[in-house]
Amino acid sequence: MPAAEPYTCALADDVHAYVQPDGGWCLNNAGFVGDGTTTLLVDTAATERRTRALAAAVAATGAPAPRFVVNTHHHGDHTYGNGLFAPSATIVSHADCRREALASGHNLALVWPGIDYGDIRIRGADLTYTDRTRVHVGGIDAEIIHPGVAHTVGDSVVWLPHRRVLFAGDLVFEGGTPFFLMGSLSGSLRALEVLRGLGAETVVPGHGAITDPSEFDRTERYLRFVAEVAQENHAAGRTPLQAAQATDLGEFAEWRESERLVANLHRAYAELDGRPEGTPLDPLPAFHDMAVVNGGEMVASHA
């Protein structure tokens, strides 16, 4: 079934979220902030068509074309549209995000070859940072913070203290299952503490409906659930797939993308084996296992 149409939500006169329902695979959120003279865009989209719709949504509010584009991490649904805003916009990301975006290339087409991606030209950031930085959007200060290795090795969140609004990227999936195959379980737990410390009132997740800081608690419950499942089954010598197939998801069963449990277990097992957080893992076994859990079919992308 096709997803509902994207929509723009005004969080304040100078802050907007752009939501792509239902927030499943490759249907990410974006957003933009500006004072009427300068615009900062948070993330792009997975296809040319969706990125052009995002650009039109920005223009429809009367905001000028983005001068800055911040990537919250390297995955294609957040970065593939970079080239449609360059070179007039400066692309900003964590240094590891830039490296991973360039190294990954057009890898979404390997997982979902049937999607019409359009004219996508992989473009990494023009400006990178390692801990935190600040972009001055006219009279607005946008703080860009690396919360550590979490969803990926190069995550960023965009914090707008003047409005108490946080663009959390894929550290938060509202109504969807967290995913940290390319990051860290323990790092994701630490990152939540960083987010809590900001004092946000409104949270724009990387996927799903706009939410509030209570989503951090729900995310933490899931992460600790995965840790318990991993510890028990790793000690028993079960594979991640065997563990996932035998696990009752309980309160998390209704979340979208529940098959991500098995991919998350691949990462949790690696950490139990003593591998450093964010160590690259071959994604193919994890995606194969997700397809098995999904009834033998590759999970669907509606991008």
Side-chain angles (χ1 to χ4, degrees):
M1 294 293 292
E5 288 299 309
Y7 61 90
T8 303
C9 181
L11 305 179
D13 291 343
D14 50 9
V15 183
H16 294 76
Y18 183 78
V19 180
Q20 297 194 97
D22 62 358
W25 288 100
C26 295
L27 291 177
N28 67 301
N29 295 335
F32 50 101
V33 55
D35 67 349
T37 62
T38 305
T39 303
L40 178 149
L41 177 67
V42 181
D43 284 329
T44 60
T47 68
E48 178 186 1
R49 177 180 66 84
R50 288 187 173 275
T51 302
R52 292 196 183 282
L54 168 60
V58 174
T61 67
R67 181 179 173 189
F68 303 99
V69 176
V70 177
N71 293 150
T72 59
H73 59 288
H74 73 275
H75 290 160
D77 50 339
H78 298 257
T79 62
Y80 277 1
N82 283 357
L84 295 175
F85 295 99
S88 58
T90 299
I91 313 298
V92 183
S93 80
H94 187 271
D96 290 338
C97 171
R98 181 183 193 277
R99 184 195 68 231
E100 293 296 317
L102 295 175
S104 298
H106 205 333
N107 61 357
L108 288 186
L110 301 178
V111 181
W112 294 288
I115 299 296
D116 180 8
Y117 293 96
D119 184 13
I120 292 300
R121 303 173 187 179
I122 303 302
R123 185 181 179 101
D126 305 299
L127 177 66
T128 63
Y129 77 103
T130 55
D131 181 25
R132 62 173 60 205
T133 190
R134 182 174 295 170
V135 176
H136 302 285
V137 189
I140 302 167
D141 289 346
E143 298 184 14
I144 306 172
I145 302 166
H146 175 53
V149 179
H151 175 62
T152 70
V153 295
D155 293 317
S156 295
V157 300
V158 180
W159 168 230
L160 304 173
H162 77 298
R163 297 299 190 192
R164 317 307 293 176
V165 172
L166 175 68
F167 288 90
D170 284 6
L171 274 69
V172 176
F173 291 81
E174 198 286 321
T177 302
F179 186 61
F180 48 85
L181 173 65
M182 300 169 191
S184 169
L185 170 54
S186 52
S188 293
L189 285 165
R190 290 196 305 273
L192 286 176
E193 292 307 307
V194 174
L195 302 193
R196 285 188 175 108
L198 295 173
E201 296 176 359
T202 302
V203 177
V204 181
H207 297 254
I210 297 164
T211 185
D212 57 49
S214 65
E215 191 63 38
F216 303 155
D217 297 334
R218 291 186 285 272
T219 300
E220 180 176 356
R221 287 201 304 274
Y222 177 80
L223 297 177
R224 296 198 181 281
F225 168 77
V226 174
E228 292 175 3
V229 171
Q231 290 167 357
E232 176 183 346
N233 287 277
H234 184 270
R238 301 185 187 97
T239 67
L241 179 58
Q242 291 170 334
Q245 290 174 322
T247 296
D248 180 355
L249 287 169
E251 68 172 297
F252 312 113
E254 299 304 314
W255 287 5
R256 295 184 312 272
E257 302 88 45
S258 60
E259 70 280 346
R260 288 177 178 166
L261 171 63
V262 70
N264 292 333
L265 288 172
H266 275 263
R267 173 58 62 182
Y269 273 38
E271 294 185 11
L272 289 170
D273 288 336
R275 300 184 70 177
E277 298 172 5
T279 297
L281 302 180
D282 182 353
L284 294 181
F287 272 85
H288 171 271
D289 286 354
M290 283 194 289
V292 173
V293 172
N294 194 47
E297 297 183 0
M298 176 55 66
V299 294
S301 166
H302 295 294

